[in-house]
Amino acid sequence: MNRTEADRQTTLLNLSRRWREFEHDLATAIPVVTETATSVLGVERASIWINDDESASSTCHDLYEAHPNRHSSGLVAYRAEYPIYFEAMTGPELAISADAQSDPRNVEFVEPYLKALGIGAMMFVPIRYGGVTVGVLCIEHVGGPREFTATEQTNAEYLAHLISEAYDFQHRRDREQATAANLSLLKAAFEATGAGILAVNTEGRVTHYNEEFLELWDVPDNLMGPAGDGGPRARHIAMMGDDPDLIMRRWQEAAENPEAESLRVIRIKDGRSIEARSKPQRIQDRIVGRVWSFRDVTYQRELEDELRELSMHDGLTGLFNRRCAEEHLDREIQRATRSKQPLSVAMIDIDDFKNLNDVHGHAVGDQALREIANDFRQRLRATDLPCRWGGEEFLIILPDTNEEGARTAIDALRKLVSRERRDLPSFTFSAGVAQYKKDQPPEQLVKLADTRLYEAKQAGRNRVC
């Protein structure tokens, strides 16, 4: 071995000894390797290119030119522009162009690159990671053709291997940082969510829970350890509900059906409503436990009840509205058909209501509507259903009542309504009564009552037909 070769081997040995200084930082390692490559291999230029994930392009992370001792980077080569060259660059084996300018693999850039820079020989050494070529160490000899010796090829492969190690360190660190960031985000979300979370493994032992879960169910700390099948914890929660036995059955069903998902609302003795959602926890295709989430939905439930109540009632009189009346009439017709009991309806209209509004004002008209609604509630049976049909019209559904009985009841109601009132002008109503006949559609029954109401109006008002 001549002195020059000995010096080159010493340079490699020194780099090997110091490599721990660079291997954890790919950005630092790359220029160290390119400088070492020009020295050890006796070439003018050395560069490192890293491919994108699809190997559609490759970016130069560092090009070192020994003279004038200059580093540069950023050049991008695209497979679509240099397909032949890319085959050599991204292959799994070392590739040598001893006569670069006549090598057919380099035909795509002979004139603009090789001849322009005087490059006579090239060597491409793959940088491998996870069994895949992720980049290349490119060795470029300026001058005429040149053969690279077996030792030089081995040295170049060793330098490429060092970059592979640094690449591996970089990717592992990136994955670890991404994993740590994801875990931090999940932990923050776990605690910040408005839901109480409980995760158990397939044996029922607690694996995770948050503070919201403890506060929601007032769970003692001693029930959050490895509590076997979770029995004590489940019983504690069940006893807070208004149906402990049902809650315990639901817990048992979930334990016996690992694939099952559930969503239900648990009524708590203190008046709260807790939404309980349950899903299996999977790692890939294997079920490793179950995750429960609990939300206090008391306010939402109360709001829903209020909205449902508002949607069923008339805002002015407090009576059921027309939509509710139609639904109720359908049910009563079905019941009357099954029980073979009579069913009647009455259509009521306040007499001269427009005149009442025009003379005394709409506030008085509104008060008249509220007064008649109060009279309905006072005189009718609990089973009867008075509804505001629209404007000054009302529909009354009278179950278990034939037409004669309905007419008698409505006439008594008419007399009550027509009485003298202390702070309100007197008013009357007219009404039409009809009895349900088998297979009669509800709209025909209402239409018949409305026709008889018209007859009462025509006969002089303030009467029942």
Side-chain angles (χ1 to χ4, degrees), residues 194-215:
I197 306 295
L198 172 68
V200 298
N201 63 18
T202 52
E203 297 176 350
R205 290 184 171 86
V206 175
T207 57
H208 296 89
Y209 63 93
N210 63 1
E211 288 298 320
E212 186 69 21
F213 169 78
L214 297 180
E215 293 177 7

Side-chain angles (χ1 to χ4, degrees), residues 144-181:
R146 169 184 168 177
E147 295 288 346
F148 291 97
T149 67
T151 299
E152 288 172 333
Q153 294 176 36
T154 299
N155 290 342
E157 288 179 324
Y158 174 70
L159 291 171
H161 173 70
L162 293 181
I163 294 299
S164 295
E165 287 185 346
Y167 189 91
D168 180 37
F169 273 114
Q170 179 76 40
H171 275 251
R172 272 190 288 168
R173 183 167 64 250
D174 289 347
R175 288 197 304 271
E176 289 168 359
Q177 290 175 348
T179 299

Side-chain angles (χ1 to χ4, degrees), residues 87-95 124-128 131-133 135 157:
E87 288 301 317
M89 267 186 82
T90 58
E93 304 294 337
L94 180 147
F124 299 107
V125 190
I127 298 169
R128 309 272 293 170
V132 177
T133 298
E157 288 179 324

